[in-house]
Amino acid sequence: MANKENQSHQTNNSYDELRYYSKPFSFTSIAFLEGSSFLWGLNPPKISGAKVLELGCSFGGNLISQAIYYPETEFIGIDLSESQINQGNELIKLMGLKNVRLEIKNILDITPDFGLFDYIIVHGIYSWVPDEVKSKILDICRDNLSENGIAYISYNTYPGWKNREIARDIMLFTNKHTADLSLVEKTYRGKAVLKLFSDAIKTVDSEKGKNSSKVIHFDEIQDKDEHYVAHEYLEQYNHPLYLNEFVDSVNQHQLSYIGDTSFQLSFISWMTKDLREMLLNLASSDYVAREQCIDYIYDVAFRRSLICHAHLQNMINRTEEIPKERLDKLTFVNVNKENNLASVINSQKLVHLIERFIFEVEKFTIEDIKSYVANNEEFSDITENEIYSSILLVIILNYVNVFLTPYQTYVFKDNQSYVPERFIRYVSTMLEKEGSNYIGFGDMYNRNISNLNQIQFYMMLKMVKPKTKAELENSLKQYLIENEYKDLNNNEKLIDDDYDVTGLCESVCQSLETLGYIHPILAEKIQASKVETNIKSDAKAKSKKKHSR
């Protein structure tokens, strides 16, 4: 018990001394986990009404952004850091969220009595804890995961971390006799010494070539945030492992490894013929050996693994041939990867078609593509099979993320749209109550987004109740005048009554639509609003008639 408390105390102190900024991670989005595991052939729990657990949640930034969008889903996060949990719960209270809570709890203290969860998220924990805790994490995934539930675990991997361990060893050696220094000071000291080594290697002709990858990594560390460098390179624990070792541990806990959230690390159909044949000769039907070989070839340093119960093992589709009916049920969302499709798709017409949907439409289904092709003669020679195979390829190459339950967004309509209170309190807490000092803004797919500005927030406040676009434009103009905003086209001139706010108002409304903040009021409320408007109009007409007599 004393050893467990000592380990917990050391970890707790380091994370409180130099805290991590708690931000959303798109790969841990429950919508993404649902869609990805469905593509693998499983039938994961529906995300609406699901229960979600995150181990090592910090301030809760990875859960809060999801709880905002999924009010019917319950989110629970645990962490050792009392200060971070208390601060996170204070933010949750300010936001008025009832479907998310954070608890001060040691992973080792979780038992089956803690409850069943449909999704378990373990991001940035597994490699940074002792073996006892690693084993307990897998115990939790076995004992606290619902029957068809999905667990996500990320961890550092070999062989990619072999080179990085040299940097870690140098930084630890540099601080061998600096117990009196703070973690921040140790981090600055370690980075400075790495720079000295990098500069020295570059001056030695016989060494700079063969040590180029080492130098590149040393230089990359200089650009990393101090909190990242400290916890990645100076923590007591950072134990990378090979994929096959991780899968062995998973199997020993009566669990099954599904695959990586990056299909490129699990599938080989995207590779050249020679490389595919080599991997098949080496690994044959052994999917773990095949993925381990991928790690060897591409020097993989980090993995995000999906896990399920062992009884689901036979349902996992490892053929890389996805049934059309499964692809038909998915929605694909652009992840803003640099466009290099022309080098992986042979047909120029097919490239243009897929480019249009990924980079212009951005959110689409197979049916959307087929309908577009049917109505555009220039694509008439593209076959249905080509569409399916191309979409599968862009999924594997990480051009799009897949969702079984895409978040519904709505277009603003006069007197029929409003912004729900939970979004207003979320943005208010982030902008006006220093929430953004602790957690990051996230969208409906848990992607990091830039901080919203005061103009967007003002417009949200004006949309608490349905309004017309004209009313919003008038309010926005007055706000800009009262707060002495300058004309974007003439920075020397203050905005006045002559300023045309139409374009700005439209832009703000579109940004709120994209974020999913704008919702339609219920049909009965629309009808009630119309009745109320008619009553007011009748009363006004009667008043005019009375005064005209």
Side-chain angles (χ1 to χ4, degrees):
M1 177 63 74
N3 184 45
K4 180 177 86 170
E5 290 177 351
N6 183 47
Q7 290 171 352
S8 300
H9 182 69
Q10 289 174 335
T11 305
N12 191 9
N13 281 349
S14 69
Y15 278 85
D16 280 335
E17 182 182 350
L18 189 54
R19 69 189 187 204
Y20 246 119
Y21 182 65
S22 184
K23 61 184 180 180
F25 295 97
S26 62
F27 287 109
T28 69
S29 158
I30 56 172
F32 175 76
L33 298 180
E34 179 195 38
S36 297
S37 52
F38 180 79
L39 192 72
W40 277 103
L42 299 174
N43 296 309
K46 294 183 182 300
I47 57 177
S48 179
K51 286 189 66 176
V52 182
L53 172 66
E54 180 172 28
L55 307 181
C57 65
S58 181
F59 295 103
N62 193 39
L63 294 181
I64 290 172
S65 52
Q66 300 194 63
I68 288 289
Y69 284 98
Y70 300 101
E72 303 302 318
T73 301
E74 181 182 358
F75 297 86
I76 298 173
I78 71 155
D79 201 285
L80 276 174
S81 172
E82 182 177 352
S83 64
Q84 293 182 27
I85 290 293
N86 289 341
Q87 180 62 59
N89 279 326
E90 180 61 27
L91 296 177
I92 289 168
K93 183 179 178 181
L94 289 170
M95 294 173 189
L97 295 173
K98 304 298 183 185
N99 63 323
V100 56
R101 74 175 191 271
L102 311 180
E103 295 185 15
I104 303 164
K105 201 171 188 68
N106 194 318
I107 288 173
L108 293 172
D109 293 333
I110 293 180
T111 67
D113 292 338
F114 195 60
L116 289 176
F117 297 87
D118 300 301
Y119 294 92
I120 296 177
I121 299 167
V122 193
H123 184 72
I125 301 294
Y126 195 83
S127 288
W128 298 266
V129 292
D131 290 343
E132 178 188 13
V133 182
K134 286 186 179 72
S135 181
K136 183 60 179 180
I137 287 171
L138 294 175
D139 284 343
I140 293 167
C141 291
R142 179 192 63 218
D143 299 336
N144 297 86
L145 190 65
S146 64
E147 184 179 4
N148 292 309
I150 302 297
Y152 162 105
I153 302 177
S154 67
Y155 48 97
N156 286 339
T157 56
Y158 293 132
W161 246 88
K162 290 290 185 181
N163 243 345
R164 289 165 173 79
E165 278 187 329
I166 298 172
R168 173 172 160 81
D169 290 344
I170 290 173
M171 293 184 74
L172 289 172
F173 179 74
T174 299
N175 288 287
K176 186 176 181 180
H177 304 294
T178 58
D180 55 324
L181 294 182
S182 70
L183 185 56
V184 177
E185 291 172 316
K186 291 177 181 177
T187 304
Y188 285 138
R189 180 183 173 91
K191 289 175 75 172
V193 171
L194 282 182
K195 188 175 188 311
L196 289 175
F197 276 108
S198 173
D199 292 343
I201 293 171
K202 291 172 186 175
T203 65
V204 183
D205 290 338
S206 62
E207 299 302 313
K208 61 184 179 183
K210 63 183 180 182
N211 285 293
S212 60
S213 61
K214 185 195 303 181
V215 169
I216 289 171
H217 183 61
F218 287 178
D219 290 345
E220 285 176 345
I221 291 175
Q222 305 305 318
D223 298 325
K224 300 291 185 183
D225 294 332
E226 271 62 50
H227 67 264
Y228 169 82
V229 175
H231 297 304
E232 191 80 340
Y233 293 91
L234 289 172
E235 280 292 345
Q236 178 184 7
Y237 297 101
N238 183 350
H239 299 152
L241 67 166
Y242 285 101
L243 170 67
N244 71 86
E245 296 173 325
F246 176 75
V247 175
D248 284 345
S249 295
V250 167
N251 293 338
Q252 288 163 14
H253 285 77
Q254 295 84 55
L255 295 164
S256 282
Y257 170 71
I258 301 170
D260 200 88
T261 59
S262 173
F263 293 99
Q264 213 166 351
L265 295 181
S266 293
F267 286 15
I268 64 172
S269 54
W270 61 277
M271 298 177 178
T272 63
K273 182 183 177 183
D274 289 345
L275 192 50
R276 287 199 310 272
E277 289 179 352
M278 185 205 82
L279 289 172
L280 288 172
N281 286 333
L282 282 173
S284 185
S285 60
D286 186 340
Y287 63 90
V288 177
R290 191 163 62 236
E291 289 192 36
Q292 185 61 74
C293 290
I294 292 174
D295 286 4
Y296 289 140
I297 294 169
Y298 292 98
D299 202 32
V300 175
F302 190 71
R303 272 186 171 265
R304 306 177 183 93
S305 293
L306 300 179
I307 309 296
C308 65
H309 283 296
H311 73 267
L312 299 175
Q313 168 70 29
N314 292 334
M315 289 183 63
I316 302 170
N317 177 8
R318 304 190 189 280
T319 66
E320 302 193 33
E321 295 177 2
I322 310 301
K324 290 180 179 179
E325 56 269 21
R326 289 231 160 207
L327 290 172
D328 285 338
K329 292 180 180 179
L330 293 167
T331 296
F332 312 102
V333 177
N334 177 21
V335 298
N336 297 315
K337 180 177 178 177
E338 183 180 352
N339 184 4
N340 194 34
L341 290 177
S343 65
V344 294
I345 298 177
N346 294 327
S347 164
Q348 190 173 13
K349 279 187 181 180
L350 199 52
V351 168
H352 290 159
L353 176 66
I354 302 302
E355 281 178 341
R356 179 186 183 278
F357 278 89
I358 293 177
F359 301 105
E360 296 177 28
V361 178
E362 296 193 332
K363 177 183 174 183
F364 58 94
T365 64
I366 293 280
E367 184 56 39
D368 293 332
I369 299 177
K370 290 196 288 190
S371 296
Y372 183 80
V373 168
N375 291 303
N376 286 269
E377 185 66 28
E378 62 178 302
F379 299 115
S380 60
D381 56 340
I382 292 177
T383 67
E384 188 175 281
N385 284 340
E386 286 178 319
I387 292 173
Y388 280 101
S389 61
S390 296
I391 291 302
L392 180 56
L393 180 61
V394 298
I395 292 171
I396 296 170
L397 294 178
N398 299 319
Y399 279 95
V400 294
N401 283 340
V402 297
F403 299 97
L404 183 61
T405 311
Y407 191 84
Q408 178 70 56
T409 57
Y410 301 92
V411 175
F412 176 87
K413 292 183 179 180
D414 282 355
N415 289 323
Q416 295 183 31
S417 301
Y418 81 114
V419 174
E421 181 187 6
R422 67 181 187 274
F423 293 115
I424 293 173
R425 292 186 67 167
Y426 173 55
V427 176
S428 172
T429 301
M430 296 293 281
L431 290 182
E432 300 186 330
K433 297 167 185 172
E434 300 184 340
S436 59
N437 289 343
Y438 303 97
I439 64 175
F441 269 107
D443 69 3
M444 68 281 286
Y445 300 122
N446 226 30
R447 298 173 297 194
N448 280 280
I449 56 174
S450 301
N451 287 356
L452 276 73
N453 58 46
Q454 289 295 335
I455 292 177
Q456 289 168 307
F457 181 52
Y458 172 79
M459 291 284 279
M460 290 175 70
L461 290 172
K462 288 299 172 183
M463 294 186 194
V464 173
K465 293 184 178 180
K467 295 271 195 309
T468 65
K469 189 69 72 69
E471 288 174 322
L472 292 175
E473 289 172 358
N474 288 334
S475 297
L476 178 57
K477 182 180 288 188
Q478 290 307 309
Y479 174 79
L480 297 174
I481 292 172
E482 289 170 9
N483 289 275
E484 299 184 339
Y485 277 81
K486 291 184 178 180
D487 189 333
L488 292 175
N489 298 317
N490 182 358
N491 204 36
E492 301 299 317
K493 181 184 177 184
L494 291 173
I495 288 175
D496 57 24
D497 285 326
D498 295 328
Y499 184 75
D500 183 3
V501 298
T502 306
L504 178 59
C505 185
E506 182 63 28
S507 175
V508 172
C509 285
Q510 286 179 356
S511 71
L512 300 181
E513 291 167 359
T514 300
L515 286 169
Y517 289 176
I518 291 179
H519 283 236
I521 61 174
L522 297 175
E524 56 268 25
K525 289 186 177 180
I526 295 175
Q527 185 60 36
S529 177
K530 287 180 179 178
V531 170
E532 184 180 354
T533 301
N534 291 336
I535 290 172
K536 288 179 179 178
S537 297
D538 289 345
K540 195 177 289 184
K542 287 178 181 178
S543 177
K544 276 187 178 181
K545 190 174 181 181
K546 183 178 178 181
H547 285 94
S548 66
R549 287 176 179 172

